[in-house]
Amino acid sequence: LAPTPEAAGAAASLRVVAVVDPLSRAAQRLGPVLLQLREALGVGVRVYLNPTAGLSELPLQEFYRYAAPAAVAFDEAGRRAAQGARFNSLATAHTLTLHLDTPVAWLTEPSACLADMDNLRLHDLPERTLTLNAEYLLAALLIAGSCEDVGKRAPPNGLQLTLTPAAAAAGASAGPRQGDLGRPLADTLVMQNLGY
């Protein structure tokens, strides 16, 4: 990964040097992150490859694609463009699994798929099917934190917390979802044993 001219040499205020084994799982994930840093922030990036000697078999058993954009993009209608990853020329005889590598707090699920993404066999798809699309959505988001009763210096046991749309809190109109204003999206209780 050669740094961009803007990020080269003394022009880069921040430089990242990475020493990676090119056939490791960490290298699969690190490469796209370093590209993002270089393109979005002008970070100078230098990568040194340090492969493991004497491999008896290929250590990578999976394909990995990074789908987070460096910048927000919009389609012709002005809506935020969907992001995706593409895998080309995969072996059709193997059983494949498609899953998202997301933060622990995200609960994602497939929303539009024509096949079982956990047991995907491309040669079992209908004839002339050259492309298979799968869409995922963020079904839930875990928000964790802590809460303390200032007077007692202890968690307020049983305090109910609710998440509501931001427009409801501000008293503004939410357009087509106006009927949902003020209705909680989720709720939880403060638990004394863990303090959140």
Side-chain angles (χ1 to χ4, degrees):
L1 303 173
T4 59
E6 297 81 20
S13 59
L14 181 63
R15 296 185 192 115
V16 174
V17 177
V19 180
V20 296
D21 179 354
L23 295 178
S24 67
R25 292 187 69 198
Q28 282 186 305
R29 285 151 178 76
L30 183 63
V33 171
L34 293 176
L35 281 173
Q36 288 271 34
L37 289 173
R38 187 184 76 179
E39 293 172 7
L41 303 176
V43 173
V45 175
R46 182 166 297 212
V47 177
Y48 293 98
L49 301 180
N50 185 23
T52 303
L55 292 174
S56 59
E57 62 181 40
L58 188 65
L60 293 179
Q61 302 295 322
E62 61 186 29
F63 304 99
Y64 183 83
R65 296 290 184 275
Y66 192 76
V72 178
F74 298 93
D75 61 14
E76 297 80 19
R79 295 180 303 245
R80 185 172 178 195
Q83 298 302 316
R86 178 182 295 264
F87 295 88
N88 296 320
S89 304
L90 294 176
T92 59
H94 294 84
T95 301
L96 305 173
T97 299
L98 178 66
H99 72 276
L100 303 183
D101 186 14
T102 61
V104 177
W106 293 13
L107 176 61
T108 57
E109 60 186 32
S111 61
C113 304
L114 296 178
D116 178 9
M117 293 293 111
D118 290 326
N119 297 299
L120 183 60
R121 293 174 57 89
L122 297 177
H123 76 279
D124 290 344
L125 295 176
E127 195 172 338
R128 298 179 185 252
T129 302
L130 302 177
T131 303
L132 180 66
N133 293 320
E135 294 180 12
Y136 286 77
L137 61 86
L138 180 61
L141 181 64
L142 174 66
I143 300 174
S146 62
C147 184
E148 182 179 75
D149 185 335
V150 179
K152 297 179 181 178
R153 294 280 191 204
N157 191 24
L159 176 68
Q160 185 173 2
L161 303 174
T162 60
L163 296 175
T164 56
S173 172
R177 295 191 58 194
Q178 191 169 358
D180 292 341
L181 290 179
R183 190 175 74 182
L185 299 174
D187 62 9
T188 187
L189 293 176
V190 175
M191 296 178 289
Q192 189 173 17
N193 57 344
L194 296 177
Y196 64 84

